[in-house]
Amino acid sequence: MSEDAKTLLVTSRFRVEEIAIVGTQGDTHRRAVVRHPGAVAIIPILSDGRVCLIRNRRPTIGRTLVEIPAGTRDPGESPEQTALRELHEETGYRAGRMRALCSFYTSPGVLDEEMHLFVADELTPDQTHLDACEQIENLPVAWEEAIAMIGSGEVRDAKTIAALLLFDRQRRASDAAGSR
């Protein structure tokens, strides 16, 4: 926290600070920002090529969304450790291999959360370990169906849209390079 930041709220997952921002005319403005420890999102690829999406009840919007598994980093946890933990907790799968794709800021206008995106494969089924308030169920779908669900509006979660489209682009480029 910088010297000019004032803590407004502290929760178990994030804090809200009011910070000073110097404008283009040299004037000072105050803005509330959310400080977040970071998160991960995982694209789980099953042995038959399907992707394991999840149906996740989101109380903040009062809806169930189709998403990829994701979660907040715990203190001292690397992004890969978080990805392995969250994949197992939410889907019940353990990953034999976890590959980093990229990282991005989810909403930098108000939030400093950096999300790390992974692809998990060589999956072994196990039991889920959902948090007490989580309502999640697996939704394995064919890859092309997952991509079509974006166009149809069935997938409305931004991290899922970005992740699936990015990985789809990489898959297609790899397939094209392999066919030459």
Side-chain angles (χ1 to χ4, degrees):
M1 183 166 67
S2 65
E3 291 180 25
D4 61 351
K6 175 183 170 187
T7 300
L8 302 177
L9 173 71
V10 177
T11 76
S12 63
R13 296 190 137 196
F14 63 87
R15 73 180 185 280
V16 179
E17 292 179 356
E18 184 179 71
I19 62 171
I21 300 171
V22 178
T24 57
Q25 305 298 315
D27 47 341
T28 302
H29 303 271
R30 307 287 302 173
R31 175 177 286 168
V33 296
V34 178
R35 302 296 187 194
H36 191 280
V40 301
I42 309 104
I43 302 171
I45 306 296
L46 301 170
S47 61
D48 62 6
R50 292 180 300 160
V51 59
C52 185
L53 301 177
I54 59 174
R55 291 188 196 279
N56 191 359
R57 180 73 181 159
R58 293 295 190 176
T60 51
I61 60 170
R63 299 182 70 168
T64 298
L65 295 179
V66 175
E67 306 178 20
I68 56 175
T72 300
R73 292 178 60 194
D74 284 343
E77 203 174 44
S78 72
E80 184 173 350
Q81 289 170 324
T82 304
L84 290 165
R85 175 179 54 77
E86 287 292 339
L87 175 69
H88 185 242
E89 286 177 4
E90 292 189 358
T91 68
Y93 284 105
R94 293 191 183 273
R97 185 169 61 157
M98 187 72 70
R99 295 175 285 150
L101 279 185
C102 69
S103 62
F104 55 91
Y105 293 98
T106 57
S107 186
V110 295
L111 173 68
D112 70 355
E113 175 187 46
E114 183 177 13
M115 183 163 283
H116 301 269
L117 178 60
F118 293 87
V119 175
D121 56 11
E122 300 175 9
L123 302 179
T124 305
D126 197 2
Q127 292 185 342
T128 60
H129 297 279
L130 301 176
D131 291 342
C133 62
E134 288 181 315
Q135 297 175 34
I136 296 174
E137 66 179 76
N138 287 352
L139 178 64
V141 299
W143 183 259
E144 292 304 323
E145 182 181 349
I147 298 303
M149 291 168 77
I150 296 170
S152 72
E154 190 171 353
V155 172
R156 297 186 60 201
D157 173 63
K159 73 179 174 309
T160 301
I161 293 169
L164 293 177
L165 292 177
L166 173 67
F167 190 56
D168 188 61
R169 182 178 180 189
Q170 289 182 359
R171 284 170 45 119
R172 290 179 188 279
S174 177
D175 289 349
S179 65
R180 290 183 196 156

